[in-house]
């Protein structure tokens, strides 16, 4: 599935570079390109979920999630500044879990991404650790659904 998507994206990129493309056609082809990108990301996510379900990530190590969070926050510092988000961390108590390093990185990236995405410009993100758990909170809009319903399928 990735190969046909790559071909579609490549051909759309070539068309988008056409200097004689009208404005309305450029917009329509741009939308198709974005849709192909979304489909490609969805496919990657489904492949990841399939690998997790089939227990293909057998390598596990003791991983300090607090260190991983700090590393990722350093990595996206410019994005945080751009959105004028105030990040407060209290990660002095390490949270060590036995997990595949790749999956740990995905987990931390998703938590931080969601805290940014579901926030507003000039908002806050607070991340704390207790040694047994890590809590992420942000100043985004309140939930419109009961939090326990979000995790029912898991």
């Amino acid at each position: 599935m990735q190969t046909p998507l790559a071909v579609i994206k490549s051909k759309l990129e070539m068309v988008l570079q056409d200097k004689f493309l009208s404005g309305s056609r450029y917009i329509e082809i741009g939308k198709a390109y974005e849709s192909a990108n979304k489909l490609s990301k969805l496919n990657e996510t489904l492949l990841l979920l399939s690998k997790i379900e089939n227990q293909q990530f057998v390598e596990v190590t003791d991983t300090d999630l607090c260190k991983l969070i700090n590393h990722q926050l350093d990595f996206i510092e410019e994005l945080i500044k751009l959105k004028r988000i105030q990040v407060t961390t209290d990660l002095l108590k390490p949270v060590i879990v036995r997990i595949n390093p790749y999956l740990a990185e995905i987990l931390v990236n998703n938590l931080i991404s969601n805290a940014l995405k579901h926030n507003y410009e000039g908002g806050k993100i607070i991340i704390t650790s207790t040694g047994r758990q890590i809590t992420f909170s942000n100043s985004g809009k309140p939930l419109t659904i009961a939090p326990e319903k979000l995790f029912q399928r898991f």
Side-chain angles (χ1 to χ4, degrees):
M1 191 168 170
Q2 279 301 109
T3 302
L5 282 170
V7 170
I8 291 168
K9 287 170 47 178
S10 173
K11 293 200 181 282
L12 288 172
E13 284 173 1
M14 286 184 350
V15 173
L16 285 169
Q17 292 175 8
D18 184 349
K19 295 175 187 169
F20 301 107
L21 195 62
S22 71
S24 62
R25 289 290 179 208
Y26 183 84
I27 290 170
E28 291 302 315
I29 293 170
K31 287 179 183 178
Y33 180 77
E34 287 302 314
S35 293
N37 271 337
K38 287 180 183 179
L39 190 56
S40 183
K41 288 178 184 177
L42 178 61
N43 185 55
E44 288 175 18
T45 302
L46 290 173
L47 285 172
L48 175 65
L49 289 173
S50 176
K51 287 178 181 180
I52 292 170
E53 190 172 291
N54 292 325
Q55 299 177 353
Q56 290 180 294
F57 293 98
V58 292
E59 176 201 345
V60 293
T61 60
D62 287 339
T63 303
D64 182 353
L65 293 180
C66 295
K67 281 185 182 178
L68 207 51
I69 291 167
N70 281 323
H71 175 72
Q72 183 60 19
L73 288 172
D74 288 343
F75 185 69
I76 62 165
E77 184 177 353
E78 291 302 316
L79 180 59
I80 292 168
K81 285 180 183 176
L82 185 66
K83 286 188 79 171
R84 297 181 312 143
I85 303 285
Q86 177 189 346
V87 178
T88 305
T89 60
D90 179 7
L91 299 171
L92 299 176
K93 296 178 183 169
V95 176
I96 310 294
V97 294
R98 287 196 59 74
I99 188 170
N100 177 277
Y102 177 69
L103 294 179
E105 191 173 320
I106 290 173
L107 171 67
V108 166
N109 286 342
N110 284 345
L111 290 169
I112 293 172
S113 288
N114 286 340
L116 283 169
K117 185 184 343 180
H118 299 288
N119 210 330
Y120 53 83
E121 189 170 325
K124 297 179 181 179
I125 296 174
I126 301 167
I127 309 170
T128 58
S129 68
T130 64
R132 291 185 47 98
Q133 71 181 26
I134 297 174
T135 304
F136 281 74
S137 58
N138 69 343
S139 55
K141 295 178 184 174
L143 292 173
T144 57
I145 186 171
E148 53 278 357
K149 285 189 176 184
L150 291 174
F151 297 100
Q152 280 179 343
R153 70 179 223 205
F154 301 106

